[in-house]
Amino acid sequence: MWNAALWGGIASSAVFIGALTGIFFTLHKRWVAVIMAFATGILLGAASFEMLGRSVNDGGMLPTSAGFLAGAVVFTFFDMLISKKGGHERKRSRENPEGHSGLAILIGTLIDSIPESVIIGVNLLERQSVSWLLVVAVFISNLPEGLSSSIGLKKDGYSKGKILLMWMMVFLLSTFSSLAGYLLMEDASNLLIAGIAAFAAGGVVAMVSSTMMPEAYEEGGPIVGLITATGLLCSLMLTFFET
């Protein structure tokens, strides 16, 4: 049980590490874009090879398809809601437009992070061992999230203490989500677990497509396509070595 909290905490700690880096160090925006592009590839690989692959094997194509589309729809719906308050700027390192909301950025980050953390707990329950691909994918994706968002919030005049408090909340809630995923799904059927894995995969794909990819390309240019492909290949390699 506590392994779920441990691995969920390790994966989500990257958002806090990224925040510290963004607050106290100055990184060229191209480096931020490279990290984000690599994280995009890793996450796409985790969603495809780990989440969807296992979901099809355990539950079949119909539950996987339904769960995947539901996850994408739900993420898109909430993303549209928080975007009206400036939440769409949560992965941007530039100064945010007037009228944006730091709370919307926080909520948007939680929408991104919680499904990833839940699936770590669910996956640990299913396999009885940690998926290195999922942990690495979530860790690397959280790093540029905390980094770029903190740079943007700092430019907006948010204090260092307030920014760190925001990311500490994300870290704690993500860790708890991983534990909750393990506890709540302990007696769940393989079909339900498969549906949840597919749901999380749908949310992840929708998230990287609408937030991480645009930011990476805007700041890094065409080279990020190669970096993203490299991240996807690394996901495949991790999957291969786990089997």
Side-chain angles (χ1 to χ4, degrees):
M1 178 181 74
W2 295 112
N3 276 343
L6 172 65
W7 290 112
I10 289 174
S12 59
S13 66
V15 74
F16 198 70
I17 295 171
L20 289 171
T21 304
I23 290 173
F24 295 107
F25 299 95
T26 301
L27 290 182
H28 193 280
K29 62 182 181 181
R30 187 172 293 272
W31 283 109
V32 179
V34 165
I35 296 172
M36 192 166 289
F38 186 75
T40 296
I42 287 280
L43 271 178
L44 286 175
S48 303
F49 308 135
E50 180 70 29
M51 299 180 191
L52 288 179
R54 288 189 173 275
S55 182
V56 170
N57 288 335
D58 294 341
M61 183 56 71
L62 184 59
T64 299
S65 301
F68 182 78
L69 290 175
V73 168
V74 169
F75 175 86
T76 302
F77 173 75
F78 282 105
D79 196 36
M80 290 172 62
L81 289 181
I82 64 169
S83 290
K84 296 179 181 180
K85 297 294 185 180
H88 62 292
E89 301 288 342
R90 59 188 177 276
K91 288 183 172 65
R92 304 283 173 151
S93 56
R94 64 172 180 260
E95 187 173 354
N96 291 307
E98 185 177 353
H100 87 286
S101 167
L103 180 60
I105 291 175
L106 174 63
I107 294 173
T109 303
L110 288 172
I111 291 174
D112 297 342
S113 301
I114 287 178
E116 301 168 353
S117 300
V118 169
I119 203 61
I120 288 177
V122 171
N123 192 264
L124 184 62
L125 176 65
E126 180 186 19
R127 293 165 48 122
Q128 297 302 312
S129 63
V130 66
S131 167
W132 289 105
L133 174 56
L134 280 178
V135 173
V136 169
V138 175
F139 184 91
I140 295 178
S141 69
N142 280 331
L143 190 62
E145 178 140 22
L147 176 62
S148 59
S149 297
S150 296
I151 293 172
L153 289 168
K154 186 169 66 172
K155 290 177 180 178
D156 293 340
Y158 283 76
S159 67
K160 295 176 182 177
K162 190 177 232 182
I163 296 172
L164 290 177
L165 179 61
M166 287 175 60
W167 298 129
M168 180 57 73
M169 289 174 61
V170 172
F171 165 69
L172 292 174
L173 288 172
S174 297
T175 301
F176 177 77
S177 297
S178 184
L179 178 61
Y182 184 92
L183 293 176
L184 295 177
M185 294 295 109
E186 191 168 7
D187 297 320
S189 65
N190 287 340
L191 186 64
L192 179 57
I193 292 177
I196 292 173
F199 183 89
V204 166
V205 172
M207 182 270 289
V208 299
S209 301
S210 61
T211 59
M212 294 180 72
M213 283 182 176
E215 166 73 356
Y217 185 84
E218 184 177 329
E219 301 292 353
I223 190 64
V224 301
L226 176 60
I227 303 299
T228 302
T230 303
L232 185 63
L233 179 60
C234 288
S235 279
L236 181 61
M237 293 172 66
L238 281 170
T239 304
F240 176 78
F241 288 119
E242 277 190 337
T243 56

